Amino acid sequence: MNRDYRRVWGASTAGAVGGEIGELALPVLALVTLGASAQELSWVRTATFLPYLLLTLWLGVLVDNRRRRPLMIGAELGRAGLLLTVGVLALTGQLTVPLLVAATFAVGALAVLHMLADFSFLPHVVTPKQLPDANARITATQSAVGIGGSGLGGALVQAVTAPVAVLVNAATHLVSALLLRRVRLAEPEVEPSEGGTLAQAKEGLVTMLRHRVVRALAAEATVWNLGNEVFMLALTVAVVGGRSDGPLALGLVLMAGGVGAFLGAGLSARLTGWAGYGARSWCPCCWATPPRWSGCCSAGARACGPWSCWRWPSWSPGSASGWRTRRR
């Protein structure tokens, strides 16, 4: 692999580590530092993921008509600046929940932009023959970060407090931007597509709605994300709000989920080959639901104690990819 690929790989790793830290730091910042209620925390989490629902089509059109690397660098610098501002305001006592919600939405929008640009940038960095191996290395690294990053993030928040962890998160995105800046690839100019932004976004939406399989997958992903966010909100409030070591405990629970996702991904290909993609998607949902329900019912009001660590590794092969990447 060439030097440019190693820099892109390093940037992806730095961004993934930052994402894992932010997954814990921002909710803990809201709950512990700002004393937010469960409803206010729901606003923060909604602001994190609402851009994926509202902006993906529009930003996709932007990515199709621009060179990818400048967009990725700008997105990373933007996220670093926003998180730095949030951390400083929190340390100086000037941060409020509405400001955190606004900043979180902006960070989420930049995350969408970076994700879309990243998808189509790597094929320019390596040859077609190298592309499968290049993707595999990045995926393996992100899987490893997904398993260990949550525990690291929880330990970091527990040790240095959420505002400092947010500053560390900002630093990871700055590192990612600097690595991308050092990529020497002469990315070809992109010829703008015909039609305006609205027309292109409408065309993409109509294509999705008319395609039976894509329409069903989009609906499934929407329902899955809604349920996952409800669960994550309840989990965060119960663990962080009820324990002195809440951030560390939450990190360990999420790390257990990463282990379950890794094991599920290993079984996914075999299950797909045996039963087909459709059965592979719905069978694990049935498989994974009873353990979570029984854990909640058995543990009652303290469902986010030991039961959480038990039910998260039961995450199914069908939902393994959804756990770490969120099915957007």
mmCIF file of all heavy atoms in Angstrom, residues 262-307:
data_model
loop_
_atom_site.group_PDB
_atom_site.id
_atom_site.type_symbol
_atom_site.label_atom_id
_atom_site.label_comp_id
_atom_site.label_asym_id
_atom_site.label_seq_id
_atom_site.Cartn_x
_atom_site.Cartn_y
_atom_site.Cartn_z
ATOM 1 N N PHE A 262 -18.870 -8.186 16.941
ATOM 2 C CA PHE A 262 -17.768 -8.856 16.256
ATOM 3 C C PHE A 262 -18.078 -10.342 16.051
ATOM 4 O O PHE A 262 -17.878 -10.895 14.965
ATOM 5 C CB PHE A 262 -16.484 -8.692 17.072
ATOM 6 C CG PHE A 262 -15.291 -9.397 16.489
ATOM 7 C CD1 PHE A 262 -14.615 -8.852 15.412
ATOM 8 C CD2 PHE A 262 -14.867 -10.602 17.016
ATOM 9 C CE1 PHE A 262 -13.510 -9.500 14.870
ATOM 10 C CE2 PHE A 262 -13.775 -11.254 16.483
ATOM 11 C CZ PHE A 262 -13.090 -10.705 15.410
ATOM 12 N N LEU A 263 -18.581 -10.984 17.098
ATOM 13 C CA LEU A 263 -18.933 -12.403 16.982
ATOM 14 C C LEU A 263 -20.082 -12.602 15.994
ATOM 15 O O LEU A 263 -20.091 -13.543 15.199
ATOM 16 C CB LEU A 263 -19.310 -12.960 18.354
ATOM 17 C CG LEU A 263 -18.197 -12.954 19.402
ATOM 18 C CD1 LEU A 263 -18.732 -13.430 20.746
ATOM 19 C CD2 LEU A 263 -17.027 -13.814 18.953
ATOM 20 N N GLY A 264 -21.069 -11.694 16.039
ATOM 21 C CA GLY A 264 -22.194 -11.792 15.119
ATOM 22 C C GLY A 264 -21.779 -11.623 13.675
ATOM 23 O O GLY A 264 -22.275 -12.308 12.788
ATOM 24 N N ALA A 265 -20.838 -10.707 13.431
ATOM 25 C CA ALA A 265 -20.368 -10.502 12.064
ATOM 26 C C ALA A 265 -19.700 -11.758 11.520
ATOM 27 O O ALA A 265 -19.795 -12.069 10.326
ATOM 28 C CB ALA A 265 -19.394 -9.325 12.022
ATOM 29 N N GLY A 266 -19.020 -12.500 12.395
ATOM 30 C CA GLY A 266 -18.383 -13.729 11.957
ATOM 31 C C GLY A 266 -19.376 -14.796 11.537
ATOM 32 O O GLY A 266 -19.085 -15.622 10.662
ATOM 33 N N LEU A 267 -20.557 -14.781 12.148
ATOM 34 C CA LEU A 267 -21.586 -15.762 11.806
ATOM 35 C C LEU A 267 -22.474 -15.303 10.659
ATOM 36 O O LEU A 267 -23.190 -16.112 10.067
ATOM 37 C CB LEU A 267 -22.468 -16.032 13.036
ATOM 38 C CG LEU A 267 -21.780 -16.676 14.244
ATOM 39 C CD1 LEU A 267 -22.754 -16.741 15.414
ATOM 40 C CD2 LEU A 267 -21.272 -18.069 13.894
ATOM 41 N N SER A 268 -22.442 -14.013 10.354
ATOM 42 C CA SER A 268 -23.375 -13.449 9.385
ATOM 43 C C SER A 268 -23.235 -14.084 8.009
ATOM 44 O O SER A 268 -24.229 -14.427 7.367
ATOM 45 C CB SER A 268 -23.170 -11.937 9.304
ATOM 46 O OG SER A 268 -24.064 -11.367 8.392
ATOM 47 N N ALA A 269 -21.995 -14.215 7.520
ATOM 48 C CA ALA A 269 -21.788 -14.759 6.170
ATOM 49 C C ALA A 269 -22.296 -16.188 6.073
ATOM 50 O O ALA A 269 -22.930 -16.576 5.091
ATOM 51 C CB ALA A 269 -20.308 -14.686 5.809
ATOM 52 N N ARG A 270 -22.026 -16.996 7.095
ATOM 53 C CA ARG A 270 -22.492 -18.385 7.080
ATOM 54 C C ARG A 270 -24.014 -18.450 7.090
ATOM 55 O O ARG A 270 -24.621 -19.248 6.377
ATOM 56 C CB ARG A 270 -21.936 -19.135 8.289
ATOM 57 C CG ARG A 270 -20.420 -19.327 8.254
ATOM 58 C CD ARG A 270 -19.975 -20.177 9.426
ATOM 59 N NE ARG A 270 -18.519 -20.362 9.414
ATOM 60 C CZ ARG A 270 -17.866 -21.106 10.312
ATOM 61 N NH1 ARG A 270 -18.531 -21.719 11.271
ATOM 62 N NH2 ARG A 270 -16.556 -21.215 10.241
ATOM 63 N N LEU A 271 -24.631 -17.613 7.920
ATOM 64 C CA LEU A 271 -26.087 -17.626 8.007
ATOM 65 C C LEU A 271 -26.721 -17.162 6.700
ATOM 66 O O LEU A 271 -27.740 -17.704 6.265
ATOM 67 C CB LEU A 271 -26.549 -16.730 9.160
ATOM 68 C CG LEU A 271 -28.044 -16.745 9.484
ATOM 69 C CD1 LEU A 271 -28.508 -18.150 9.822
ATOM 70 C CD2 LEU A 271 -28.339 -15.792 10.647
ATOM 71 N N THR A 272 -26.100 -16.161 6.059
ATOM 72 C CA THR A 272 -26.613 -15.687 4.780
ATOM 73 C C THR A 272 -26.519 -16.773 3.719
ATOM 74 O O THR A 272 -27.442 -16.970 2.932
ATOM 75 C CB THR A 272 -25.833 -14.443 4.322
ATOM 76 O OG1 THR A 272 -25.954 -13.420 5.319
ATOM 77 C CG2 THR A 272 -26.366 -13.916 3.004
ATOM 78 N N GLY A 273 -25.385 -17.483 3.679
ATOM 79 C CA GLY A 273 -25.229 -18.555 2.710
ATOM 80 C C GLY A 273 -26.193 -19.708 2.935
ATOM 81 O O GLY A 273 -26.624 -20.377 1.994
ATOM 82 N N TRP A 274 -26.560 -19.933 4.173
ATOM 83 C CA TRP A 274 -27.449 -21.039 4.503
ATOM 84 C C TRP A 274 -28.922 -20.696 4.277
ATOM 85 O O TRP A 274 -29.680 -21.482 3.725
ATOM 86 C CB TRP A 274 -27.240 -21.450 5.963
ATOM 87 C CG TRP A 274 -28.223 -22.474 6.450
ATOM 88 C CD1 TRP A 274 -28.361 -23.760 6.026
ATOM 89 C CD2 TRP A 274 -29.231 -22.265 7.445
ATOM 90 N NE1 TRP A 274 -29.382 -24.382 6.703
ATOM 91 C CE2 TRP A 274 -29.941 -23.488 7.584
ATOM 92 C CE3 TRP A 274 -29.598 -21.179 8.250
ATOM 93 C CZ2 TRP A 274 -30.995 -23.648 8.476
ATOM 94 C CZ3 TRP A 274 -30.639 -21.350 9.145
ATOM 95 C CH2 TRP A 274 -31.324 -22.561 9.245
ATOM 96 N N ALA A 275 -29.331 -19.480 4.677
ATOM 97 C CA ALA A 275 -30.749 -19.143 4.671
ATOM 98 C C ALA A 275 -31.105 -17.999 3.730
ATOM 99 O O ALA A 275 -32.291 -17.723 3.541
ATOM 100 C CB ALA A 275 -31.213 -18.793 6.087
ATOM 101 N N GLY A 276 -30.115 -17.333 3.147
ATOM 102 C CA GLY A 276 -30.418 -16.187 2.304
ATOM 103 C C GLY A 276 -30.427 -14.900 3.114
ATOM 104 O O GLY A 276 -30.541 -14.914 4.344
ATOM 105 N N TYR A 277 -30.332 -13.772 2.397
ATOM 106 C CA TYR A 277 -30.211 -12.493 3.097
ATOM 107 C C TYR A 277 -31.461 -12.144 3.897
ATOM 108 O O TYR A 277 -31.377 -11.637 5.012
ATOM 109 C CB TYR A 277 -29.917 -11.372 2.090
ATOM 110 C CG TYR A 277 -29.749 -10.032 2.751
ATOM 111 C CD1 TYR A 277 -28.546 -9.683 3.351
ATOM 112 C CD2 TYR A 277 -30.809 -9.124 2.801
ATOM 113 C CE1 TYR A 277 -28.395 -8.461 3.987
ATOM 114 C CE2 TYR A 277 -30.660 -7.907 3.432
ATOM 115 C CZ TYR A 277 -29.446 -7.583 4.021
ATOM 116 O OH TYR A 277 -29.309 -6.375 4.659
ATOM 117 N N GLY A 278 -32.628 -12.399 3.325
ATOM 118 C CA GLY A 278 -33.863 -12.026 4.024
ATOM 119 C C GLY A 278 -33.985 -12.716 5.359
ATOM 120 O O GLY A 278 -34.240 -12.091 6.396
ATOM 121 N N ALA A 279 -33.813 -14.050 5.368
ATOM 122 C CA ALA A 279 -33.914 -14.797 6.618
ATOM 123 C C ALA A 279 -32.802 -14.397 7.576
ATOM 124 O O ALA A 279 -32.998 -14.332 8.790
ATOM 125 C CB ALA A 279 -33.853 -16.299 6.337
ATOM 126 N N ARG A 280 -31.611 -14.115 7.027
ATOM 127 C CA ARG A 280 -30.501 -13.685 7.881
ATOM 128 C C ARG A 280 -30.828 -12.392 8.595
ATOM 129 O O ARG A 280 -30.375 -12.134 9.712
ATOM 130 C CB ARG A 280 -29.260 -13.504 6.989
ATOM 131 C CG ARG A 280 -27.940 -13.418 7.750
ATOM 132 C CD ARG A 280 -27.627 -12.026 8.225
ATOM 133 N NE ARG A 280 -27.255 -11.140 7.146
ATOM 134 C CZ ARG A 280 -26.956 -9.865 7.301
ATOM 135 N NH1 ARG A 280 -27.029 -9.299 8.488
ATOM 136 N NH2 ARG A 280 -26.648 -9.117 6.263
ATOM 137 N N SER A 281 -31.662 -11.551 7.986
ATOM 138 C CA SER A 281 -31.983 -10.260 8.583
ATOM 139 C C SER A 281 -33.039 -10.370 9.672
ATOM 140 O O SER A 281 -32.941 -9.695 10.694
ATOM 141 C CB SER A 281 -32.460 -9.288 7.496
ATOM 142 O OG SER A 281 -31.437 -9.051 6.568
ATOM 143 N N TRP A 282 -34.078 -11.213 9.449
ATOM 144 C CA TRP A 282 -35.147 -11.211 10.441
ATOM 145 C C TRP A 282 -34.998 -12.287 11.504
ATOM 146 O O TRP A 282 -35.448 -12.097 12.638
ATOM 147 C CB TRP A 282 -36.525 -11.313 9.784
ATOM 148 C CG TRP A 282 -36.823 -12.581 9.036
ATOM 149 C CD1 TRP A 282 -36.718 -12.794 7.699
ATOM 150 C CD2 TRP A 282 -37.307 -13.818 9.585
ATOM 151 N NE1 TRP A 282 -37.074 -14.075 7.376
ATOM 152 C CE2 TRP A 282 -37.449 -14.723 8.510
ATOM 153 C CE3 TRP A 282 -37.621 -14.245 10.867
ATOM 154 C CZ2 TRP A 282 -37.894 -16.032 8.680
ATOM 155 C CZ3 TRP A 282 -38.062 -15.554 11.046
ATOM 156 C CH2 TRP A 282 -38.196 -16.429 9.966
ATOM 157 N N CYS A 283 -34.349 -13.410 11.203
ATOM 158 C CA CYS A 283 -34.188 -14.453 12.219
ATOM 159 C C CYS A 283 -33.409 -13.960 13.439
ATOM 160 O O CYS A 283 -33.831 -14.187 14.574
ATOM 161 C CB CYS A 283 -33.501 -15.674 11.608
ATOM 162 S SG CYS A 283 -34.597 -16.668 10.571
ATOM 163 N N PRO A 284 -32.250 -13.277 13.240
ATOM 164 C CA PRO A 284 -31.519 -12.808 14.415
ATOM 165 C C PRO A 284 -32.292 -11.794 15.246
ATOM 166 O O PRO A 284 -32.061 -11.681 16.447
ATOM 167 C CB PRO A 284 -30.257 -12.178 13.802
ATOM 168 C CG PRO A 284 -30.097 -12.857 12.493
ATOM 169 C CD PRO A 284 -31.490 -13.074 12.004
ATOM 170 N N CYS A 285 -33.183 -11.035 14.610
ATOM 171 C CA CYS A 285 -33.994 -10.095 15.393
ATOM 172 C C CYS A 285 -34.859 -10.843 16.403
ATOM 173 O O CYS A 285 -35.007 -10.432 17.551
ATOM 174 C CB CYS A 285 -34.863 -9.253 14.462
ATOM 175 S SG CYS A 285 -33.923 -8.147 13.387
ATOM 176 N N CYS A 286 -35.435 -11.951 15.947
ATOM 177 C CA CYS A 286 -36.227 -12.777 16.861
ATOM 178 C C CYS A 286 -35.333 -13.421 17.918
ATOM 179 O O CYS A 286 -35.714 -13.546 19.082
ATOM 180 C CB CYS A 286 -36.966 -13.859 16.068
ATOM 181 S SG CYS A 286 -38.117 -13.203 14.836
ATOM 182 N N TRP A 287 -34.140 -13.812 17.508
ATOM 183 C CA TRP A 287 -33.207 -14.455 18.410
ATOM 184 C C TRP A 287 -32.748 -13.487 19.506
ATOM 185 O O TRP A 287 -32.614 -13.851 20.678
ATOM 186 C CB TRP A 287 -32.043 -14.969 17.581
ATOM 187 C CG TRP A 287 -30.817 -15.394 18.325
ATOM 188 C CD1 TRP A 287 -30.695 -15.682 19.657
ATOM 189 C CD2 TRP A 287 -29.508 -15.550 17.768
ATOM 190 N NE1 TRP A 287 -29.415 -16.018 19.957
ATOM 191 C CE2 TRP A 287 -28.655 -15.951 18.827
ATOM 192 C CE3 TRP A 287 -28.989 -15.405 16.484
ATOM 193 C CZ2 TRP A 287 -27.314 -16.199 18.625
ATOM 194 C CZ3 TRP A 287 -27.646 -15.664 16.294
ATOM 195 C CH2 TRP A 287 -26.822 -16.053 17.358
ATOM 196 N N ALA A 288 -32.477 -12.239 19.128
ATOM 197 C CA ALA A 288 -31.873 -11.300 20.068
ATOM 198 C C ALA A 288 -32.885 -10.639 20.997
ATOM 199 O O ALA A 288 -32.511 -10.128 22.045
ATOM 200 C CB ALA A 288 -31.121 -10.213 19.294
ATOM 201 N N THR A 289 -34.172 -10.629 20.618
ATOM 202 C CA THR A 289 -35.152 -9.913 21.427
ATOM 203 C C THR A 289 -35.412 -10.546 22.787
ATOM 204 O O THR A 289 -35.424 -9.830 23.800
ATOM 205 C CB THR A 289 -36.475 -9.776 20.640
ATOM 206 O OG1 THR A 289 -36.226 -9.012 19.457
ATOM 207 C CG2 THR A 289 -37.535 -9.081 21.481
ATOM 208 N N PRO A 290 -35.646 -11.876 22.893
ATOM 209 C CA PRO A 290 -35.961 -12.448 24.210
ATOM 210 C C PRO A 290 -34.919 -12.192 25.283
ATOM 211 O O PRO A 290 -35.288 -11.879 26.427
ATOM 212 C CB PRO A 290 -36.108 -13.949 23.893
ATOM 213 C CG PRO A 290 -36.510 -13.986 22.463
ATOM 214 C CD PRO A 290 -35.773 -12.867 21.820
ATOM 215 N N PRO A 291 -33.598 -12.289 25.004
ATOM 216 C CA PRO A 291 -32.646 -12.000 26.077
ATOM 217 C C PRO A 291 -32.756 -10.587 26.618
ATOM 218 O O PRO A 291 -32.658 -10.368 27.827
ATOM 219 C CB PRO A 291 -31.279 -12.229 25.406
ATOM 220 C CG PRO A 291 -31.566 -13.167 24.286
ATOM 221 C CD PRO A 291 -32.927 -12.797 23.797
ATOM 222 N N ARG A 292 -32.987 -9.612 25.742
ATOM 223 C CA ARG A 292 -33.076 -8.233 26.221
ATOM 224 C C ARG A 292 -34.343 -8.017 27.038
ATOM 225 O O ARG A 292 -34.323 -7.342 28.060
ATOM 226 C CB ARG A 292 -33.014 -7.271 25.025
ATOM 227 C CG ARG A 292 -31.657 -7.268 24.340
ATOM 228 C CD ARG A 292 -31.506 -6.054 23.456
ATOM 229 N NE ARG A 292 -32.328 -6.136 22.266
ATOM 230 C CZ ARG A 292 -31.927 -6.708 21.138
ATOM 231 N NH1 ARG A 292 -30.746 -7.276 21.074
ATOM 232 N NH2 ARG A 292 -32.706 -6.723 20.092
ATOM 233 N N TRP A 293 -35.446 -8.599 26.569
ATOM 234 C CA TRP A 293 -36.685 -8.466 27.324
ATOM 235 C C TRP A 293 -36.585 -9.148 28.683
ATOM 236 O O TRP A 293 -36.999 -8.601 29.702
ATOM 237 C CB TRP A 293 -37.850 -9.061 26.536
ATOM 238 C CG TRP A 293 -38.486 -8.091 25.604
ATOM 239 C CD1 TRP A 293 -38.421 -8.080 24.244
ATOM 240 C CD2 TRP A 293 -39.285 -6.949 25.954
ATOM 241 N NE1 TRP A 293 -39.110 -7.021 23.724
ATOM 242 C CE2 TRP A 293 -39.661 -6.313 24.740
ATOM 243 C CE3 TRP A 293 -39.712 -6.400 27.162
ATOM 244 C CZ2 TRP A 293 -40.436 -5.161 24.724
ATOM 245 C CZ3 TRP A 293 -40.494 -5.254 27.132
ATOM 246 C CH2 TRP A 293 -40.835 -4.650 25.927
ATOM 247 N N SER A 294 -36.044 -10.353 28.703
ATOM 248 C CA SER A 294 -35.945 -11.075 29.969
ATOM 249 C C SER A 294 -35.006 -10.362 30.915
ATOM 250 O O SER A 294 -35.226 -10.324 32.129
ATOM 251 C CB SER A 294 -35.477 -12.510 29.725
ATOM 252 O OG SER A 294 -34.202 -12.519 29.117
ATOM 253 N N GLY A 295 -33.928 -9.753 30.371
ATOM 254 C CA GLY A 295 -33.018 -9.003 31.220
ATOM 255 C C GLY A 295 -33.701 -7.814 31.862
ATOM 256 O O GLY A 295 -33.561 -7.571 33.059
ATOM 257 N N CYS A 296 -34.486 -7.069 31.064
ATOM 258 C CA CYS A 296 -35.195 -5.902 31.606
ATOM 259 C C CYS A 296 -36.231 -6.315 32.652
ATOM 260 O O CYS A 296 -36.351 -5.699 33.710
ATOM 261 C CB CYS A 296 -35.878 -5.135 30.475
ATOM 262 S SG CYS A 296 -34.731 -4.284 29.365
ATOM 263 N N CYS A 297 -36.985 -7.360 32.342
ATOM 264 C CA CYS A 297 -38.044 -7.791 33.260
ATOM 265 C C CYS A 297 -37.460 -8.348 34.553
ATOM 266 O O CYS A 297 -37.986 -8.115 35.645
ATOM 267 C CB CYS A 297 -38.924 -8.851 32.587
ATOM 268 S SG CYS A 297 -39.887 -8.212 31.202
ATOM 269 N N SER A 298 -36.365 -9.096 34.435
ATOM 270 C CA SER A 298 -35.789 -9.721 35.618
ATOM 271 C C SER A 298 -35.100 -8.705 36.507
ATOM 272 O O SER A 298 -35.154 -8.788 37.732
ATOM 273 C CB SER A 298 -34.776 -10.803 35.208
ATOM 274 O OG SER A 298 -35.408 -11.796 34.442
ATOM 275 N N ALA A 299 -34.434 -7.740 35.896
ATOM 276 C CA ALA A 299 -33.691 -6.769 36.689
ATOM 277 C C ALA A 299 -34.567 -5.610 37.152
ATOM 278 O O ALA A 299 -34.179 -4.852 38.024
ATOM 279 C CB ALA A 299 -32.519 -6.226 35.886
ATOM 280 N N GLY A 300 -35.750 -5.449 36.544
ATOM 281 C CA GLY A 300 -36.680 -4.421 36.976
ATOM 282 C C GLY A 300 -36.094 -3.032 36.817
ATOM 283 O O GLY A 300 -35.535 -2.678 35.798
ATOM 284 N N ALA A 301 -36.196 -2.247 37.832
ATOM 285 C CA ALA A 301 -35.742 -0.864 37.760
ATOM 286 C C ALA A 301 -34.237 -0.751 37.644
ATOM 287 O O ALA A 301 -33.714 0.286 37.273
ATOM 288 C CB ALA A 301 -36.210 -0.094 38.997
ATOM 289 N N ARG A 302 -33.525 -1.823 37.955
ATOM 290 C CA ARG A 302 -32.065 -1.787 37.870
ATOM 291 C C ARG A 302 -31.584 -2.573 36.673
ATOM 292 O O ARG A 302 -30.551 -3.212 36.713
ATOM 293 C CB ARG A 302 -31.444 -2.345 39.137
ATOM 294 C CG ARG A 302 -31.828 -1.516 40.353
ATOM 295 C CD ARG A 302 -31.150 -2.037 41.595
ATOM 296 N NE ARG A 302 -31.415 -1.120 42.683
ATOM 297 C CZ ARG A 302 -30.515 -0.730 43.552
ATOM 298 N NH1 ARG A 302 -29.292 -1.159 43.452
ATOM 299 N NH2 ARG A 302 -30.828 0.105 44.516
ATOM 300 N N ALA A 303 -32.340 -2.500 35.601
ATOM 301 C CA ALA A 303 -32.044 -3.311 34.415
ATOM 302 C C ALA A 303 -30.697 -2.996 33.805
ATOM 303 O O ALA A 303 -30.179 -3.766 33.028
ATOM 304 C CB ALA A 303 -33.124 -3.096 33.352
ATOM 305 N N CYS A 304 -30.121 -1.895 34.136
ATOM 306 C CA CYS A 304 -28.852 -1.528 33.514
ATOM 307 C C CYS A 304 -27.666 -1.878 34.393
ATOM 308 O O CYS A 304 -26.620 -1.279 34.293
ATOM 309 C CB CYS A 304 -28.844 -0.048 33.172
ATOM 310 S SG CYS A 304 -30.014 0.337 31.869
ATOM 311 N N GLY A 305 -27.844 -2.853 35.263
ATOM 312 C CA GLY A 305 -26.719 -3.356 36.034
ATOM 313 C C GLY A 305 -26.093 -4.511 35.301
ATOM 314 O O GLY A 305 -25.784 -4.441 34.132
ATOM 315 N N PRO A 306 -25.902 -5.645 36.008
ATOM 316 C CA PRO A 306 -25.243 -6.785 35.362
ATOM 317 C C PRO A 306 -25.991 -7.283 34.140
ATOM 318 O O PRO A 306 -25.389 -7.811 33.219
ATOM 319 C CB PRO A 306 -25.232 -7.848 36.480
ATOM 320 C CG PRO A 306 -25.355 -7.072 37.750
ATOM 321 C CD PRO A 306 -26.201 -5.888 37.419
ATOM 322 N N TRP A 307 -27.342 -7.130 34.129
ATOM 323 C CA TRP A 307 -28.111 -7.617 32.983
ATOM 324 C C TRP A 307 -27.671 -6.967 31.687
ATOM 325 O O TRP A 307 -27.699 -7.598 30.628
ATOM 326 C CB TRP A 307 -29.592 -7.358 33.199
ATOM 327 C CG TRP A 307 -30.211 -8.312 34.183
ATOM 328 C CD1 TRP A 307 -30.598 -8.038 35.464
ATOM 329 C CD2 TRP A 307 -30.507 -9.689 33.968
ATOM 330 N NE1 TRP A 307 -31.097 -9.154 36.053
ATOM 331 C CE2 TRP A 307 -31.067 -10.183 35.163
ATOM 332 C CE3 TRP A 307 -30.350 -10.559 32.886
ATOM 333 C CZ2 TRP A 307 -31.467 -11.507 35.298
ATOM 334 C CZ3 TRP A 307 -30.752 -11.873 33.026
ATOM 335 C CH2 TRP A 307 -31.306 -12.343 34.213
#
